[in-house]
Structures are given as C-alpha cells and as structure tokens.
Amino acid sequence: MTAQAPASGSHRKHAAIWAGLTVGLSVILLALLMLFISPSLLSGPRDLGLGVVGTQEKAESVSETLESQSPGAFVVEAYESADDLEQGIRDRDIVGGFDFSDPEDMQVYGASAGSTAVSGTVSNVGATMAGSMGQTAEIVDVVPLPAGDPTGVGIGGLAFPLVFGGIVPAVAFRSMLSGKRWWIFAGLTGFSVAGGFVVAVVLRYLFGSIEGPLVPVAASVALGIAALALPLAGLYECFGTKGFTIAAMSMMFVGNPFAGISTSAQWLPGGIAMIGQLLPPGAAGTLVRAVAYFDGAGGGAAALTLGAWVLAGIVLWFSGPRIAAAKARKEAALPMA
C-alpha cells in the first residue's frame, strides 16, 4: 500500500503537467491564429481618400452615394482637373478618383503600386458607379507596378525577411564575437547596409519588382533592418536574454502580421494599422514602397519611425555596460546569506 502512494502522486503530477501544457499551448495557438489571421479577415477599405474632378457639390454627391454603399470606406474631395487629381495620387494625398467630364466614359484613376487591394477596390467601385449612370469605366493606372512584377509580390513579401534580417544577425554576431562589443556593433551596422543592397538587387534584377534607382530602396531596407537589429542587441546588453527574447517575439508575432506591407496600412483595421506602423516591419514596408514607386511621397513618417528605433537601439547599446556595472555593484552590496 505504501509503495503505491508515490506512484499515485507521480501520476497526478504528470497529469497536471499534461493538462497545463495542453491548455497553455492551445491558448498560444489561439493567440497566434488571432494575430496572423484576424488582420486579414477584418481588413477592408477604411477612410480611403478619393478625388472627384468637378465642383464641391459633385464631390459631396459622390460621397453620399459611396457612404450609403460602404459606410466609412471613403473620404471624397473635389479636384479642379484630371491633372490635379493625378498629381494628388502621385503625392499620395489620395488613393484614386473619378472624372465624370466625358458623358460617355467615366475615368477611374488608381495606383496599383500603392496597393493592388486598394486600387482594385477603387476600380470596382468606379465601374459600378459608371454602370449605374449608363457609362463605361476607363481605368487609368497613374502609378502602375512594374511589368516584371504586376501583382506586387516582391515588396509585398518583405515582412518576414525584414524580421529575419533583424533578429538573426543580433544572435549570430553575439554568438560568434562574444565579448567583442565594437565588432558586434560594426557587424550589425555592416550587415544592415549589405542586407539592404542584397534585397534591393534581388527585387530589381531577379524579381523585377522595382525599376527606379536602386540606392534609395537599398537604404530604406537597410534602415528597416537596423531598426530591428540594433534595438534587439541593445535590449540584450541591458536586460540579457529575457529582454531580447520578449522583444524578438513581439516583432515576430505582432510586427510581422500587423505590418500590412502587401496591402498597405490603410487596408488594415485602424488599431492594428497604427500599431503596425509604429513597429519597424510596418514602417520599413511603407518606406520601401514610397521610395520605390512614389519618389518618397508618403514615406516621411515611416522614415522618422525607423530613425527613432535606430536611435533607441544605439542608446540601449551604449547604456548596456553602465546598467550591467550598476547591477553588479548592487548585487555585491547585498549582504551574504
């Protein structure tokens, strides 16, 4: 009888561990499903700026029509001419627009380079509106995607490579150059530059995703990698493995799905879009798209965000030894048990 008691207690312990792991891992799986799938399921047009060539009264009429069909999806403003409307699209003040000047053909303007999801929606809405008025819709792509990548897969798939390019070097250089702080820092900054050029070269010459100048795209990707790698390395310096792990997991499981690179942030729910654009993956995607297709228009906030992350990483990196020394002094001052 006494020999069975320990065995019975062991079984209860193992059962409790089994139940705890099963429930805990199920909760983690649910959280991952919500993080990676919910943004796509909840995505759609939200406060998309549209221009209408004509009077303010015409713009208000179009706005009322669109609001009745898709509440909250569009914000409409008037433009004096089609040229002004096109310039507004290039400046990224609006995502598209309509010109009703021709009584037979309605011109529907968009920019597939900004987002195929957004431009497709604008085209569909314009075609529907033209049909209701007995007109045909002529689609004008003001800023088209390159012929080599007509669906925008190249830049749309940057989220994971950016996260990978930020996390893995922070681990690799620390492992291979343990204790060599200046070499680690030089390695991270050097890899950011090299990685930026590698990605830009692949996008241009292998995928055909970009056609313009190579250096601005390379610099944007490099800034995105540095905005991940340097803060992660700095957090390790200041708080050790725990600080690094929490930050890396946050970037992987929040920054990645919330980035909205393939569709643009405007396609995501408001709160998710805001969080995504404050994190390096989302900001880097926005900046790369801006410099690749729009001569930098619409990328200013993203560049400032990435610059702030880089600066924070540098501050953390150089604060690390002081924090470690202060922690060591505090531990040395504690009375011996």
Side-chain angles (χ1 to χ4, degrees):
M1 296 295 291
T2 57
Q4 293 180 353
S8 177
S10 177
H11 288 320
R12 285 195 296 269
K13 178 181 178 181
H14 292 156
I17 293 174
W18 173 84
L21 284 174
T22 300
V23 173
L25 292 174
S26 297
V27 171
I28 293 173
L29 180 60
L30 174 61
L32 290 177
L33 286 172
M34 295 297 292
L35 285 172
F36 279 87
I37 297 177
S38 292
S40 297
L41 290 177
L42 299 174
S43 295
R46 172 183 54 83
D47 295 331
L48 299 178
L50 289 180
V52 171
V53 177
T55 63
Q56 184 62 37
E57 289 75 13
K58 182 63 176 180
E60 291 175 357
S61 175
V62 172
S63 178
E64 292 174 0
T65 301
L66 294 178
E67 185 65 21
S68 64
Q69 297 173 351
S70 303
F74 303 100
V75 177
V76 182
E77 57 182 298
Y79 281 79
E80 294 184 359
S81 67
D83 290 339
D84 292 338
L85 189 147
E86 289 190 25
Q87 190 59 47
I89 294 173
R90 294 190 184 93
D91 293 339
R92 308 197 81 180
D93 296 328
I94 52 176
V95 299
F98 310 133
D99 183 359
F100 301 92
S101 302
D102 191 324
E104 296 182 359
D105 293 324
M106 171 183 165
Q107 278 70 46
V108 180
Y109 295 86
S112 60
S115 168
T116 54
V118 171
S119 63
T121 296
V122 173
S123 296
N124 291 335
V125 169
T128 300
M129 186 172 293
S132 67
M133 297 186 298
Q135 295 179 318
T136 58
E138 178 185 349
I139 308 299
V140 181
D141 197 345
V142 179
V143 187
L145 285 162
D149 185 10
T151 58
V153 172
I155 288 182
L158 281 181
F160 184 78
L162 283 169
V163 174
F164 175 90
I167 294 176
V168 174
V171 176
F173 282 107
R174 173 167 290 279
S175 299
M176 300 302 294
L177 297 170
S178 180
K180 309 296 184 181
R181 283 177 45 81
W182 285 108
W183 281 107
I184 295 172
F185 186 80
L188 293 175
T189 53
F191 173 79
S192 297
V193 175
F197 273 94
V198 167
V199 171
V201 167
V202 170
L203 287 175
R204 180 170 184 177
Y205 296 109
L206 187 59
F207 296 160
S209 301
I210 59 175
E211 294 178 338
L214 186 72
V215 173
V217 176
S220 299
V221 176
L223 187 60
I225 295 175
L228 279 159
L230 292 178
L232 289 173
L235 286 169
Y236 192 103
E237 288 288 309
C238 294
F239 306 108
T241 304
K242 290 183 179 179
F244 172 85
T245 302
I246 293 173
M249 295 287 283
S250 299
M251 293 301 176
M252 180 66 73
F253 297 118
V254 178
N256 186 12
F258 287 14
I261 295 178
S262 61
T263 58
S264 84
Q266 287 180 296
W267 198 250
L268 297 175
I272 290 176
M274 182 182 68
I275 294 172
Q277 291 302 297
L278 290 175
L279 296 176
T286 297
L287 181 59
V288 170
R289 190 179 292 276
V291 300
Y293 303 131
F294 295 90
D295 295 328
L304 290 174
T305 299
L306 294 175
W309 279 99
V310 170
L311 179 60
I314 294 173
V315 171
L316 287 170
W317 177 264
F318 287 103
S319 300
R322 294 185 178 89
I323 293 176
K327 183 177 180 182
R329 288 194 299 269
K330 183 177 180 181
E331 291 177 351
L334 294 175
M336 298 295 292

